[in-house]
Amino acid sequence: MGTRARERENGRGERVLAGLWRLRLPLPWPGVPHGNAWAFSAGDGIVLVDTGVHSGDSMEQLQRAMEQVGLSLDQVKLLLITHAHNDHWGQALPIVERTGCEMWVHPASAMALAHLADPEEELRLRLEVARQSGIPQAALDAYAERELGREPLFAGPVPASRDLVDGVQIESDLGVWQAYETPGHAASHVCLYQPEHRLLISGDHLLGRIVLWFDRGDTPDPVAEYLRSLDVVAGLRARLALSGHGKPFLDVPGHIEGSRRAVRAQIDTALAALADGPRTALQVAAEVNDGRPAGSSNPAWRLPLTLCVLEHLEREGRVARESDGELEHWRVTVG
Ligand SMILES: [Zn+2]
Ligand SMILES: [Zn+2]
């Protein structure tokens, strides 16, 4: 590996405004090379929002990013989690152990912990759904082998000191931040809003480059939840969004509308894919675009997303599924 590639992968801190910093942390995923943690000053300490993944040198990466902007891990007195995905809370345990800080997270994170507690059963369920959806056995075997060999990226569970839910307030030097539950991307998703400065820590609910993802299986209709959560942030009048990946961005209403359009486009594409007769979810997924550049998307990512869209339409009575015992086919309902 050349030095340039190594530099790109290192943690990096930047000041966004006085008392607010972006900590850009490397991720081990080709399509998503970085994620953000955020830090804001609060009296004699700082509040850290999200953690990055846990892997070999991830604590050094976090410390390195903090040191670049004159912060140190020992100042952290509170850790807030936007949602229970590994790139956002994977490293909570060593941070809490090291600093003794509290961690606040949404109670739906318990579902993520249940999945993490039994990864083999999780994989078995995922493979079963993928098989019914039309993924060939050889591809399933290769996927299973990759998954079983993967680093967990999650250091271990941390008991929450407090549930991060609607109405929770967080004091800071910039003023009070308000928590807003925004499920959809993940059932545990929460955004943080600072009304005087109109700042929104948007997690993965709103991203500068729109990429949709819905956690399947934790709640009946994450697509509907996501659309409702877009309405929640639309009501906040945020001016600057600090998202879980990528640079801070302006034009929050434009990004909210873009996210709504992206969902509508997926719904339209799924319905169009079923226009000529029943299809497997895999066949529908081949048509659905999740917003990633062509070529960087793979079926392991697109299939669960497509299933969420199909199950959303099923709940609305617009599509139905039938199984022949082997494969599940989806069709448009008539009338
Ligand atoms: Zn996420
Ligand atoms: Zn993320």
Side-chain angles (χ1 to χ4, degrees), residues 27 29 32 35 83 85 87-88 185 203-204 207 244-245:
L27 293 175
W29 302 325
V32 193
H83 64 296
H85 283 168
D87 51 329
H88 298 263
H185 172 83
D204 288 354
L207 293 164
H245 304 269

Side-chain angles (χ1 to χ4, degrees), residues 28 42 62 95 153 276:
L62 174 63
I95 293 171
L153 305 177
D276 294 330

